[in-house]
Amino acid sequence: MDTLSIRIKIGDREYPMKVKTDEEARIRRVGKLINDKIKKYREEFGLEDRQDLLAMVAFDCMVEFLEIKDDHTEGSEHVKQVLQHVNQNLESLL
């Protein structure tokens, strides 16, 4: 796969990285989302310290990740229960 050398600005710093061509858009989107969260915390709480801002963004991202993971786990359990029920019904018909 082809790789690109890009620079992503997070906060006040630029970070060089090599990414796969087909992942460039996702990586740039992640950079934008992080910067949007930094801006939100800066405006909402009046934070200016870079470390505080990045800590809050990291915390926020992990909360979102765990919510999605929990939702996915619950959805998977529901699908598993439905499939077990369908399987039992099929077995009783045979």
Side-chain angles (χ1 to χ4, degrees):
M1 283 211 155
D2 292 333
T3 59
L4 295 171
S5 292
I6 63 173
R7 297 180 74 76
I8 299 293
K9 187 173 183 178
I10 298 175
D12 298 329
R13 292 189 180 178
E14 286 194 1
Y15 298 90
M17 34 180 92
K18 290 186 184 267
V19 299
K20 294 177 183 174
T21 305
D22 60 342
E23 292 186 0
E24 178 190 9
R26 181 182 315 164
I27 299 299
R28 290 191 185 279
R29 183 170 170 235
V30 167
K32 182 182 179 336
L33 291 171
I34 291 171
N35 285 320
D36 289 348
K37 285 181 183 283
I38 288 171
K39 182 180 176 186
K40 174 185 132 186
Y41 281 111
R42 183 177 282 138
E43 291 171 355
E44 217 172 285
F45 298 108
L47 295 174
E48 287 300 324
D49 182 78
R50 232 184 283 165
Q51 187 171 347
D52 289 342
L53 288 165
L54 291 173
M56 292 301 295
V57 169
F59 183 81
D60 193 33
C61 288
M62 285 307 298
V63 168
E64 288 178 8
F65 171 77
L66 290 177
E67 286 173 352
I68 291 168
K69 184 178 176 188
D70 290 346
D71 288 349
H72 178 71
T73 301
E74 290 173 14
S76 296
E77 273 303 310
H78 179 70
V79 169
K80 182 179 175 183
Q81 290 173 358
V82 168
L83 289 174
Q84 286 174 341
H85 181 72
V86 168
N87 193 34
Q88 288 171 352
N89 286 341
L90 288 172
E91 286 177 359
S92 68
L93 291 172
L94 298 174

